[in-house]
Amino acid sequence: MPRYCAADCCQNRGGVSSKDNRKISFYPFPLQDKERLKNWVMNMKRENWVPSKHQYLCSDHFTADSFDIRWGIRYLKHTAVPTIFTFSHDHHETQAMQVIKYSF
């Protein structure tokens, strides 16, 4: 099953290289960690939306310090919360970058 990023305005999907040849990885929502899940969804500005076990966010939505690299593989830390999103603010498809930072 192909993976697509669940963030609005994000077109990243598994098996397709990014336009600038960056490695994109996909991470499932922390469905078992209710507090962290709440922060993920809130940062996405999708408060009334509930992700399923088949939905993912791509690595573009996490800061570099959200990852551990072991043996050349990038792992998402168990405390990571996505903070980088692009939101469309009007119907003319203008976009503004909004970076939300939380300290825990």
Side-chain angles (χ1 to χ4, degrees):
M1 176 177 240
R3 293 183 178 182
Y4 298 90
C5 185
D8 283 343
C9 300
C10 185
Q11 309 232 340
N12 291 334
R13 60 183 199 177
V16 177
S17 297
S18 70
K19 292 177 184 173
D20 55 1
N21 289 324
R22 287 177 295 110
K23 281 198 157 205
I24 306 272
S25 47
F26 293 83
Y27 302 96
F29 285 81
L31 300 177
Q32 304 304 317
D33 184 343
K34 299 301 181 191
E35 190 61 33
R36 193 164 146 231
L37 177 62
K38 177 180 155 191
N39 287 327
W40 281 41
V41 173
M42 197 167 42
N43 286 0
M44 293 173 66
K45 296 198 182 284
R46 295 183 76 173
E47 289 86 8
N48 295 323
W49 176 76
V50 179
S52 77
K53 66 179 181 176
H54 302 291
Q55 291 174 305
Y56 303 88
L57 276 183
C58 73
S59 51
D60 281 356
H61 304 291
F62 297 90
T63 57
D65 63 352
S66 297
F67 301 100
D68 282 327
I69 299 177
R70 295 184 302 250
W71 300 100
I73 298 172
R74 181 170 48 181
Y75 295 93
L76 188 65
K77 291 180 180 177
H78 293 288
T79 57
V81 175
T83 57
I84 303 170
F85 293 95
T86 301
F87 300 105
S88 178
H89 291 288
D90 63 28
H91 297 293
H92 300 291
E93 296 195 29
T94 59
Q95 295 180 347
M97 180 65 97
Q98 179 174 354
V99 178
I100 305 167
K101 297 260 183 189
Y102 290 99
S103 47
F104 293 96

